[in-house]
Amino acid sequence: MKIADALMFNVIRIPLRATVRDAVELISAHQLSDLMVVDDANKFVGVLSEGDLIRAGMPKFEEMVAEGSLSSGLAIFQEKGKALAGAPIEPLVIKNAIVVSPNDDLLTAAGIMVKKQI
């Protein structure tokens, strides 16, 4: 089976100039784990993952220790999230994404995903 046989052709895209809020809203609304990031000409430039968005807002261990409790970590996460909401997604975009061809075997993609722990 070829990758083209399993492709979704209505892939959710987000412009590189979008904000973190825009990305979170798209991921939440469509229950996605990754977004295809495109430039103004709708050309693929990279991938934005749900995990990278979460990690961007996560408190550092030192921040939680300074506050004295794990429950303060949630408050830090909320504050960082609010601060990040209007920030551009560009610094979080994986621009050297692993890509395959629609003509490649589906098992080729699966093998790459397993090897790279995607």
Side-chain angles (χ1 to χ4, degrees), residues 29-40:
H30 298 280
Q31 299 180 352
L32 302 169
S33 58
D34 299 288
L35 291 170
M36 185 170 90
V37 182
V38 295
D39 63 15
D40 289 335

Side-chain angles (χ1 to χ4, degrees), residues 40-99:
D40 289 335
N42 206 33
K43 182 181 173 202
F44 175 78
V45 293
V47 175
L48 180 63
S49 78
E50 176 185 38
D52 289 334
L53 287 168
I54 292 169
R55 280 185 288 282
M58 290 294 291
K60 291 182 175 41
F61 179 74
E62 297 80 19
E63 292 173 310
M64 291 192 322
V65 169
E67 292 293 319
S69 73
L70 288 177
S71 61
S72 62
L74 179 58
I76 296 168
F77 183 69
Q78 290 172 325
E79 289 303 312
K80 285 181 112 176
K82 287 177 188 174
L84 279 172
I89 62 168
E90 187 168 3
L92 303 174
V93 174
I94 301 164
K95 293 184 180 170
N96 58 346
I98 299 165
V99 295

